[in-house]
Amino acid sequence: VVTMRAVENFEYAVSKATNLVCPAGKVALLIGEAQTSLLPKEISWKEPIPIPQSTSRILFIGIKHGTGNQDN
């Protein structure tokens, strides 16, 4: 599992995080709604989870495409 929260240069950071994840591994991102268009396509994202008492923060959890022996 790779988790990220409040990083600068989001596109670069999420690219690096995605590279660290094994096939079928998970990624969790706590991001602002404006960053959703930058989510990598090689991750299958679940429905976003809105953060209570926040106007724009959401949690995205995804699984990297590919096969592997990891438990999900």
Side-chain angles (χ1 to χ4, degrees):
V1 176
V2 174
T3 61
M4 297 172 50
R5 183 192 175 281
V7 297
E8 293 195 26
N9 196 350
F10 177 76
E11 282 184 273
Y12 177 79
V14 78
S15 172
K16 290 296 182 184
T18 300
N19 289 336
L20 292 172
V21 178
C22 295
K26 295 181 181 178
V27 179
L29 301 175
L30 178 59
I31 61 174
E33 287 183 40
Q35 294 170 306
T36 59
S37 64
L38 303 174
L39 293 174
K41 305 297 185 223
E42 62 269 22
I43 304 290
S44 294
W45 298 103
K46 296 183 179 185
E47 287 296 315
I49 302 168
I51 302 303
Q53 299 184 18
S54 173
T55 58
S56 66
R57 296 282 175 210
I58 45 182
L59 174 63
F60 274 91
I61 299 173
I63 299 174
K64 188 172 183 178
H65 296 180
T67 59
N69 295 332
Q70 297 87 357
D71 293 333
N72 292 327

Coordinates of all heavy atoms in Angstrom, one line a residue:
V1 N 0.8 -1.2 0.0 CA 0.0 0.0 0.0 C 0.9 1.2 0.0 O 1.8 1.3 0.8 CB -0.9 0.0 1.2 CG1 -1.7 1.3 1.3 CG2 -1.8 -1.2 1.3
V2 N 0.6 2.2 -0.9 CA 1.2 3.5 -0.9 C 0.2 4.5 -0.5 O -0.9 4.5 -1.1 CB 1.8 3.8 -2.3 CG1 2.4 5.2 -2.3 CG2 2.9 2.8 -2.6
T3 N 0.5 5.4 0.4 CA -0.5 6.4 0.8 C 0.2 7.8 0.6 O 1.4 7.9 0.7 CB -1.0 6.3 2.2 OG1 0.1 6.4 3.1 CG2 -1.7 5.0 2.4
M4 N -0.6 8.8 0.2 CA -0.1 10.1 0.0 C -1.1 11.1 0.5 O -2.3 10.9 0.4 CB 0.2 10.4 -1.5 CG 1.2 9.5 -2.1 SD 1.3 9.7 -3.9 CE 1.5 11.5 -4.1
R5 N -0.6 12.2 1.1 CA -1.4 13.3 1.5 C -0.7 14.6 1.4 O 0.4 14.7 1.9 CB -1.9 13.1 3.0 CG -2.8 14.1 3.5 CD -3.0 14.1 5.0 NE -3.9 15.2 5.4 CZ -3.5 16.4 5.6 NH1 -2.2 16.7 5.3 NH2 -4.3 17.3 6.0
A6 N -1.3 15.6 0.8 CA -0.8 17.0 0.7 C 0.6 17.0 0.2 O 1.5 17.5 0.9 CB -1.0 17.7 2.1
V7 N 0.8 16.6 -1.0 CA 2.2 16.6 -1.5 C 2.2 17.8 -2.6 O 1.3 18.1 -3.2 CB 2.6 15.3 -2.2 CG1 2.6 14.2 -1.2 CG2 1.6 14.9 -3.3
E8 N 3.4 18.3 -2.7 CA 3.6 19.3 -3.8 C 4.0 18.6 -5.0 O 4.5 17.4 -5.0 CB 4.7 20.3 -3.3 CG 4.3 21.1 -2.1 CD 5.2 22.3 -1.9 OE1 5.9 22.8 -2.9 OE2 5.3 22.8 -0.8
N9 N 3.8 19.2 -6.2 CA 4.1 18.6 -7.5 C 3.4 17.3 -7.6 O 4.0 16.2 -7.7 CB 5.6 18.5 -7.7 CG 5.9 18.2 -9.2 OD1 5.0 18.0 -10.0 ND2 7.2 18.3 -9.5
F10 N 2.1 17.3 -7.5 CA 1.2 16.1 -7.4 C 1.4 15.2 -8.5 O 1.6 13.9 -8.3 CB -0.3 16.6 -7.3 CG -1.2 15.4 -7.3 CD1 -1.4 14.6 -6.2 CD2 -1.9 15.0 -8.4 CE1 -2.3 13.6 -6.1 CE2 -2.8 14.0 -8.4 CZ -3.0 13.2 -7.3
E11 N 1.5 15.6 -9.7 CA 1.7 14.7 -10.9 C 2.9 13.9 -10.8 O 2.9 12.7 -11.0 CB 1.7 15.5 -12.2 CG 0.3 15.9 -12.7 CD 0.4 16.6 -14.0 OE1 0.6 17.8 -14.1 OE2 0.2 15.8 -15.0
Y12 N 4.0 14.5 -10.4 CA 5.3 13.8 -10.2 C 5.2 12.8 -9.1 O 5.6 11.6 -9.2 CB 6.4 14.8 -10.0 CG 7.8 14.1 -9.7 CD1 8.5 13.6 -10.7 CD2 8.2 14.0 -8.4 CE1 9.7 13.0 -10.5 CE2 9.5 13.4 -8.2 CZ 10.2 12.9 -9.2 OH 11.4 12.3 -9.0
A13 N 4.7 13.2 -7.9 CA 4.6 12.4 -6.7 C 3.7 11.2 -7.0 O 4.0 10.1 -6.6 CB 4.1 13.2 -5.6
V14 N 2.5 11.4 -7.6 CA 1.6 10.3 -7.8 C 2.2 9.3 -8.9 O 2.0 8.1 -8.8 CB 0.2 10.7 -8.2 CG1 0.1 11.2 -9.6 CG2 -0.8 9.6 -7.9
S15 N 3.0 9.8 -9.8 CA 3.7 8.9 -10.8 C 4.7 8.0 -10.1 O 4.8 6.8 -10.3 CB 4.3 9.8 -11.9 OG 5.1 9.0 -12.7
K16 N 5.5 8.6 -9.2 CA 6.5 7.9 -8.4 C 5.8 6.8 -7.5 O 6.2 5.7 -7.4 CB 7.3 8.8 -7.6 CG 8.3 9.6 -8.4 CD 9.3 8.7 -9.1 CE 10.3 9.5 -9.9 NZ 11.2 8.6 -10.7
A17 N 4.7 7.2 -6.9 CA 4.0 6.3 -6.0 C 3.4 5.2 -6.8 O 3.5 4.0 -6.3 CB 2.9 7.1 -5.3
T18 N 2.9 5.4 -7.9 CA 2.3 4.4 -8.8 C 3.4 3.4 -9.2 O 3.1 2.2 -9.2 CB 1.6 5.0 -10.0 OG1 0.6 5.9 -9.6 CG2 1.0 4.0 -10.9
N19 N 4.6 3.9 -9.5 CA 5.7 3.0 -9.9 C 6.1 2.1 -8.7 O 6.6 1.0 -8.9 CB 6.9 3.8 -10.4 CG 6.6 4.4 -11.7 OD1 5.8 3.9 -12.5 ND2 7.3 5.5 -12.0
L20 N 5.9 2.5 -7.5 CA 6.3 1.7 -6.3 C 5.3 0.6 -6.0 O 5.6 -0.4 -5.3 CB 6.3 2.6 -5.1 CG 7.5 3.6 -5.0 CD1 7.3 4.5 -3.8 CD2 8.8 2.9 -5.0
V21 N 4.1 0.7 -6.6 CA 3.1 -0.3 -6.3 C 3.2 -1.5 -7.2 O 3.4 -1.4 -8.4 CB 1.7 0.3 -6.5 CG1 0.6 -0.7 -6.2 CG2 1.5 1.5 -5.5
C22 N 3.1 -2.7 -6.6 CA 3.2 -3.9 -7.4 C 1.9 -4.1 -8.2 O 0.9 -3.5 -7.8 CB 3.4 -5.1 -6.5 SG 4.9 -5.1 -5.6
P23 N 1.9 -4.9 -9.2 CA 0.6 -5.2 -9.9 C -0.4 -5.8 -8.9 O 0.0 -6.5 -8.0 CB 1.0 -6.3 -10.9 CG 2.4 -6.0 -11.2 CD 3.0 -5.5 -9.9
A24 N -1.6 -5.3 -8.9 CA -2.7 -5.6 -8.0 C -2.5 -5.0 -6.6 O -3.2 -5.3 -5.7 CB -2.9 -7.1 -7.9
G25 N -1.5 -4.1 -6.5 CA -1.3 -3.4 -5.2 C -2.2 -2.2 -5.1 O -2.9 -1.8 -6.1
K26 N -2.3 -1.6 -3.9 CA -3.3 -0.6 -3.7 C -2.6 0.8 -3.5 O -1.5 0.9 -3.0 CB -4.1 -0.9 -2.4 CG -5.0 -2.1 -2.6 CD -5.8 -2.4 -1.3 CE -6.6 -3.6 -1.5 NZ -7.4 -3.9 -0.3
V27 N -3.3 1.9 -3.9 CA -2.9 3.2 -3.7 C -4.1 4.0 -3.0 O -5.2 3.8 -3.4 CB -2.6 3.9 -5.1 CG1 -2.2 5.4 -4.9 CG2 -1.5 3.1 -5.8
A28 N -3.8 4.8 -2.0 CA -4.8 5.7 -1.4 C -4.3 7.1 -1.5 O -3.2 7.4 -1.1 CB -5.0 5.3 0.0
L29 N -5.2 8.0 -2.0 CA -4.8 9.4 -2.2 C -5.9 10.3 -1.5 O -7.1 10.1 -1.8 CB -4.7 9.7 -3.6 CG -3.7 9.0 -4.5 CD1 -3.8 9.4 -6.0 CD2 -2.3 9.2 -4.0
L30 N -5.4 11.1 -0.6 CA -6.3 12.1 -0.1 C -6.0 13.4 -0.8 O -4.9 14.0 -0.6 CB -6.1 12.3 1.4 CG -6.9 13.4 2.2 CD1 -8.4 13.1 2.1 CD2 -6.5 13.4 3.6
I31 N -6.9 13.8 -1.7 CA -6.7 14.9 -2.6 C -7.8 15.9 -2.7 O -8.9 15.6 -2.2 CB -6.3 14.4 -4.0 CG1 -7.5 13.7 -4.6 CG2 -5.1 13.6 -4.0 CD1 -7.3 13.2 -6.1
G32 N -7.6 17.0 -3.3 CA -8.7 18.0 -3.6 C -9.4 17.6 -4.9 O -8.8 16.9 -5.8
E33 N -10.6 18.0 -5.0 CA -11.4 17.7 -6.2 C -10.7 18.1 -7.5 O -10.8 17.5 -8.5 CB -12.8 18.3 -6.1 CG -13.7 17.5 -5.1 CD -15.1 18.1 -5.1 OE1 -15.6 18.5 -6.2 OE2 -15.6 18.2 -4.0
A34 N -10.0 19.2 -7.4 CA -9.3 19.8 -8.6 C -8.2 18.8 -9.2 O -7.9 18.9 -10.3 CB -8.7 21.1 -8.3
Q35 N -7.7 17.9 -8.3 CA -6.7 17.0 -8.8 C -7.2 15.7 -9.4 O -6.4 15.0 -9.9 CB -5.8 16.7 -7.6 CG -5.0 17.9 -7.1 CD -4.3 17.6 -5.8 OE1 -4.9 17.2 -4.8 NE2 -3.0 17.9 -5.7
T36 N -8.5 15.5 -9.4 CA -9.0 14.2 -9.9 C -8.7 14.0 -11.3 O -8.5 12.8 -11.7 CB -10.5 14.1 -9.6 OG1 -11.2 15.2 -10.3 CG2 -10.8 14.2 -8.2
S37 N -8.5 15.0 -12.1 CA -8.2 14.8 -13.5 C -6.8 14.3 -13.7 O -6.4 13.9 -14.8 CB -8.4 16.1 -14.3 OG -7.5 17.1 -13.9
L38 N -5.9 14.4 -12.7 CA -4.5 14.0 -12.8 C -4.3 12.5 -12.3 O -3.2 12.1 -12.3 CB -3.7 14.9 -11.9 CG -3.8 16.4 -12.3 CD1 -3.0 17.3 -11.3 CD2 -3.3 16.6 -13.7
L39 N -5.4 11.8 -11.9 CA -5.2 10.5 -11.4 C -4.7 9.6 -12.6 O -5.2 9.6 -13.7 CB -6.5 9.9 -10.9 CG -7.1 10.6 -9.7 CD1 -8.5 10.1 -9.3 CD2 -6.1 10.4 -8.5
P40 N -3.7 8.7 -12.3 CA -3.2 7.9 -13.3 C -4.2 6.8 -13.8 O -4.9 6.3 -13.1 CB -2.0 7.2 -12.6 CG -2.1 7.4 -11.2 CD -3.0 8.5 -11.0
K41 N -4.1 6.6 -15.1 CA -5.0 5.6 -15.8 C -4.7 4.2 -15.5 O -5.6 3.3 -15.7 CB -5.1 5.9 -17.3 CG -5.4 7.3 -17.7 CD -6.7 7.7 -17.2 CE -7.0 9.1 -17.7 NZ -7.7 10.0 -16.8
E42 N -3.5 3.9 -15.1 CA -3.1 2.5 -14.8 C -3.6 2.0 -13.5 O -3.4 0.8 -13.1 CB -1.6 2.2 -15.0 CG -0.8 3.0 -14.0 CD -0.3 4.4 -14.5 OE1 -0.9 4.9 -15.4 OE2 0.7 4.9 -14.0
I43 N -4.4 2.8 -12.8 CA -5.0 2.4 -11.5 C -6.5 2.4 -11.7 O -7.1 3.2 -12.3 CB -4.7 3.5 -10.4 CG1 -3.2 3.7 -10.3 CG2 -5.4 3.1 -9.1 CD1 -2.5 2.5 -9.7
S44 N -7.1 1.3 -11.2 CA -8.6 1.2 -11.2 C -9.1 1.8 -9.9 O -8.9 1.3 -8.8 CB -9.0 -0.3 -11.3 OG -8.6 -0.9 -12.5
W45 N -9.7 3.0 -10.1 CA -10.1 3.8 -8.9 C -11.5 3.4 -8.5 O -12.4 3.2 -9.3 CB -10.1 5.3 -9.2 CG -8.7 5.7 -9.5 CD1 -8.2 6.0 -10.7 CD2 -7.6 5.9 -8.6 NE1 -6.9 6.3 -10.6 CE2 -6.5 6.3 -9.3 CE3 -7.5 5.8 -7.2 CZ2 -5.3 6.6 -8.7 CZ3 -6.3 6.0 -6.6 CH2 -5.2 6.4 -7.4
K46 N -11.7 3.2 -7.2 CA -13.1 3.0 -6.6 C -13.8 4.3 -6.5 O -13.2 5.4 -6.8 CB -13.0 2.4 -5.2 CG -12.3 1.0 -5.3 CD -12.3 0.4 -3.9 CE -11.6 -1.0 -4.0 NZ -11.7 -1.7 -2.7
E47 N -15.0 4.3 -6.2 CA -15.8 5.6 -6.0 C -15.1 6.4 -5.0 O -14.7 5.9 -3.9 CB -17.2 5.3 -5.6 CG -18.1 4.7 -6.7 CD -18.3 5.7 -7.9 OE1 -18.5 6.9 -7.6 OE2 -18.1 5.3 -9.0
P48 N -15.0 7.7 -5.2 CA -14.3 8.6 -4.2 C -15.2 8.7 -2.9 O -16.4 8.6 -2.9 CB -14.3 10.0 -4.9 CG -15.3 9.9 -6.0 CD -15.4 8.5 -6.4
I49 N -14.4 8.8 -1.8 CA -15.1 9.0 -0.5 C -14.9 10.4 0.0 O -13.8 10.9 0.2 CB -14.4 8.0 0.5 CG1 -14.5 6.6 0.0 CG2 -15.0 8.2 1.9 CD1 -13.6 5.6 0.7
P50 N -16.0 11.2 0.1 CA -15.9 12.5 0.6 C -15.4 12.6 2.0 O -15.8 11.7 2.8 CB -17.3 13.1 0.4 CG -18.2 12.0 0.2 CD -17.4 10.8 -0.2
I51 N -14.6 13.5 2.4 CA -14.1 13.7 3.7 C -15.1 14.6 4.5 O -15.4 15.7 4.1 CB -12.7 14.3 3.7 CG1 -11.8 13.5 2.9 CG2 -12.2 14.6 5.2 CD1 -11.6 12.0 3.4
P52 N -15.6 14.1 5.6 CA -16.6 14.9 6.4 C -16.1 16.2 6.8 O -14.9 16.4 7.1 CB -16.9 14.0 7.6 CG -16.5 12.6 7.2 CD -15.4 12.8 6.2
Q53 N -16.9 17.2 6.8 CA -16.6 18.6 7.1 C -15.5 19.2 6.3 O -14.8 20.1 6.7 CB -16.2 18.7 8.6 CG -17.3 18.2 9.5 CD -17.0 18.4 11.0 OE1 -16.1 19.1 11.4 NE2 -17.8 17.7 11.8
S54 N -15.4 18.7 5.0 CA -14.4 19.3 4.1 C -15.2 19.7 2.8 O -16.1 19.0 2.5 CB -13.4 18.3 3.7 OG -12.6 18.8 2.6
T55 N -14.9 20.8 2.3 CA -15.6 21.2 1.1 C -15.1 20.6 -0.2 O -15.8 20.6 -1.2 CB -15.6 22.8 1.0 OG1 -14.3 23.2 0.9 CG2 -16.3 23.4 2.1
S56 N -13.8 20.2 -0.2 CA -13.3 19.7 -1.5 C -12.4 18.5 -1.4 O -11.9 18.0 -2.4 CB -12.6 20.8 -2.2 OG -11.4 21.2 -1.5
R57 N -12.1 18.0 -0.2 CA -11.2 16.9 0.0 C -11.9 15.6 -0.2 O -13.0 15.4 0.3 CB -10.5 16.9 1.3 CG -9.6 18.1 1.5 CD -8.3 17.9 0.8 NE -7.5 19.1 1.0 CZ -6.7 19.5 0.1 NH1 -6.5 18.8 -1.0 NH2 -6.0 20.6 0.2
I58 N -11.2 14.6 -0.9 CA -11.8 13.3 -1.2 C -10.7 12.3 -1.1 O -9.5 12.6 -1.3 CB -12.5 13.2 -2.5 CG1 -11.7 13.9 -3.6 CG2 -13.9 13.8 -2.5 CD1 -12.3 13.9 -5.0
L59 N -11.1 11.1 -0.7 CA -10.2 10.0 -0.6 C -10.4 9.0 -1.8 O -11.6 8.6 -2.0 CB -10.4 9.2 0.7 CG -9.6 7.9 0.9 CD1 -8.1 8.2 0.9 CD2 -10.1 7.2 2.1
F60 N -9.4 8.8 -2.5 CA -9.5 7.8 -3.6 C -8.6 6.6 -3.3 O -7.5 6.7 -2.8 CB -8.9 8.4 -4.9 CG -9.9 9.2 -5.7 CD1 -10.0 10.6 -5.5 CD2 -10.6 8.6 -6.7 CE1 -10.9 11.3 -6.2 CE2 -11.6 9.3 -7.4 CZ -11.7 10.7 -7.2
I61 N -9.2 5.4 -3.5 CA -8.5 4.2 -3.3 C -8.5 3.4 -4.6 O -9.6 3.3 -5.2 CB -9.1 3.3 -2.1 CG1 -9.1 4.1 -0.8 CG2 -8.4 2.0 -2.0 CD1 -9.8 3.5 0.3
G62 N -7.4 2.9 -5.0 CA -7.3 2.2 -6.3 C -6.4 1.0 -6.3 O -5.6 0.9 -5.3
I63 N -6.6 0.2 -7.3 CA -5.7 -1.0 -7.4 C -5.0 -0.9 -8.8 O -5.7 -0.7 -9.8 CB -6.6 -2.3 -7.3 CG1 -7.3 -2.4 -6.0 CG2 -5.7 -3.5 -7.6 CD1 -8.2 -3.5 -5.8
K64 N -3.7 -1.2 -8.8 CA -3.0 -1.1 -10.0 C -3.3 -2.2 -10.9 O -3.4 -3.4 -10.5 CB -1.5 -1.1 -9.7 CG -0.6 -0.8 -10.9 CD 0.8 -0.7 -10.4 CE 1.7 -0.4 -11.6 NZ 3.1 -0.2 -11.2
H65 N -3.5 -2.0 -12.2 CA -3.7 -3.0 -13.2 C -2.6 -4.0 -13.2 O -1.5 -3.6 -13.0 CB -3.9 -2.4 -14.6 CG -5.1 -1.5 -14.7 ND1 -5.4 -0.8 -15.8 CD2 -6.0 -1.1 -13.8 CE1 -6.5 -0.1 -15.7 NE2 -6.8 -0.2 -14.4
G66 N -2.9 -5.2 -13.5 CA -1.9 -6.2 -13.7 C -2.3 -7.4 -12.8 O -3.3 -7.5 -12.1
T67 N -1.4 -8.4 -12.8 CA -1.6 -9.6 -12.0 C -0.5 -9.7 -10.9 O 0.6 -9.2 -11.1 CB -1.7 -10.9 -12.8 OG1 -0.4 -11.0 -13.5 CG2 -2.8 -10.8 -13.8
G68 N -0.8 -10.4 -9.9 CA 0.1 -10.6 -8.8 C -0.5 -11.5 -7.8 O -1.6 -11.9 -7.9
N69 N 0.3 -11.9 -6.8 CA -0.1 -12.8 -5.8 C -0.5 -12.2 -4.5 O -0.7 -12.8 -3.5 CB 1.0 -13.9 -5.6 CG 1.3 -14.7 -6.8 OD1 0.4 -14.9 -7.6 ND2 2.5 -15.2 -6.9
Q70 N -0.5 -10.8 -4.5 CA -0.9 -10.1 -3.3 C -2.3 -10.3 -3.0 O -3.2 -10.4 -3.8 CB -0.5 -8.6 -3.4 CG 0.9 -8.3 -3.6 CD 1.3 -8.4 -5.1 OE1 0.5 -8.7 -6.0 NE2 2.6 -8.1 -5.4
D71 N -2.6 -10.3 -1.6 CA -4.0 -10.2 -1.2 C -4.5 -8.8 -1.3 O -3.8 -7.9 -1.1 CB -4.1 -10.6 0.3 CG -3.8 -12.1 0.5 OD1 -4.0 -12.9 -0.5 OD2 -3.4 -12.4 1.6
N72 N -5.8 -8.6 -1.8 CA -6.4 -7.3 -1.9 C -7.3 -7.0 -0.8 O -8.1 -7.6 -0.4 CB -7.1 -7.1 -3.3 CG -6.1 -7.2 -4.4 OD1 -5.0 -6.7 -4.3 ND2 -6.5 -7.8 -5.5

